[in-house]
Amino acid sequence: MRLLLIDTCGDVGGVALSEGESIAASETLPERGSSSALLPAVSRLLKEKGWALADLDGIGVVAGPGSFTGVRVGLAAAKGLCVAANLPLAAVSRLAVLVEATVLEEGCAVLDAGRGEYYVRFVRQSEKAQDALCQRKDLLVRAEGNRVVIAEPKLAEPLASLSPELHLLSVELALPVMLRVLQEGGSDVATTDANYVRGERDIYAKSPSAVAL
């Protein structure tokens, strides 16, 4: 199975091509420049491998949470390419990628949401994991005594009391989650939306409103 992988959710994005469970080629996108660099990078990688878009078996995209603009850019490109080449889509959560990359079986994966809030995914064997928005004081209580993994160095200090483990993410690390989503039937290209966690109309709100966990 040949896939195109796209991740533009963080400060630094990336694109990659995979074959089976291996990365065949990848390219890092310029910081905060994903919107203009994404499609040219995809074209370069395909040319490098001698593949056409029609040679792919699917497209995977990290659909958030993360940068509002980055999430939109990556998902729009992935969906557009899927429609153009009639390919299946695998839209995955960035928190799910962090959980997978760190082999987190019990604990909490955390990403920065800005304004003193955090995107979190609590992982427990007895519960289905879901992404949620959490304020710092609530996170410190809920995550105390559990394994905590983060993907951004800037979270190490505010969450120091939880002894978080830092694991930087890259587009290549999303491959196992994307393969699993495709094996389970994929994501509907027409209805799949960005994973903002926070409601879109609240992104520009002056006062944050955390979702209860």
Side-chain angles (χ1 to χ4, degrees):
M1 179 176 285
R2 292 178 174 179
L3 302 181
L4 166 64
L5 286 59
I6 298 173
D7 181 5
T8 56
C9 294
D11 290 338
V12 179
V15 294
L17 296 175
S18 67
E19 193 162 18
E21 297 181 356
S22 301
I23 298 297
S26 64
E27 182 173 328
T28 299
L29 298 175
E31 187 172 353
R32 306 186 188 284
S34 298
S35 58
S36 60
L38 176 56
L39 292 180
V42 171
S43 179
R44 283 193 297 272
L45 288 184
L46 288 172
K47 184 177 181 179
E48 175 185 326
K49 293 299 297 180
W51 296 356
L53 193 61
D55 294 326
L56 299 176
D57 298 296
I59 296 177
V61 61
V62 181
S67 160
F68 177 63
T69 300
V71 170
R72 287 189 302 167
V73 166
L75 185 61
K79 294 177 72 170
L81 291 171
C82 282
V83 171
N86 193 29
L87 295 171
L89 173 71
V92 304
S93 163
R94 192 169 170 225
L95 285 165
V97 174
L98 180 56
V99 167
E100 179 84 14
T102 56
V103 196
L104 184 65
E105 297 180 350
E106 291 274 348
C108 181
V110 185
L111 297 169
D112 181 45
R115 301 187 296 184
E117 295 179 306
Y118 303 89
Y119 301 120
V120 299
R121 174 173 283 215
F122 282 97
V123 179
R124 300 185 179 91
Q125 293 182 356
S126 60
E127 300 177 9
K128 181 179 179 180
Q130 292 184 323
D131 297 352
L133 191 65
C134 188
Q135 293 183 342
R136 180 175 178 273
K137 62 180 181 180
D138 297 323
L139 176 60
L140 294 179
V141 172
R142 292 291 303 276
E144 185 178 4
N146 293 297
R147 184 183 174 204
V148 176
V149 295
I150 59 177
E152 299 144 322
K154 61 185 174 183
L155 296 188
E157 183 176 348
L159 301 182
S161 63
L162 299 176
S163 300
E165 303 170 21
L166 175 63
H167 297 267
L168 300 179
L169 294 180
S170 65
V171 66
E172 295 90 343
L173 293 175
L175 177 58
V177 184
M178 293 173 177
L179 284 173
R180 187 160 59 245
V181 170
L182 287 173
Q183 289 166 358
E184 293 172 354
S187 309
D188 185 86
V189 176
T191 61
T192 295
D193 202 356
N195 177 13
Y196 296 127
V197 180
R198 178 187 285 119
E200 186 170 348
R201 67 179 182 180
D202 296 326
I203 291 174
Y204 300 106
K206 294 182 179 180
S207 298
S209 177
V211 175
L213 296 178

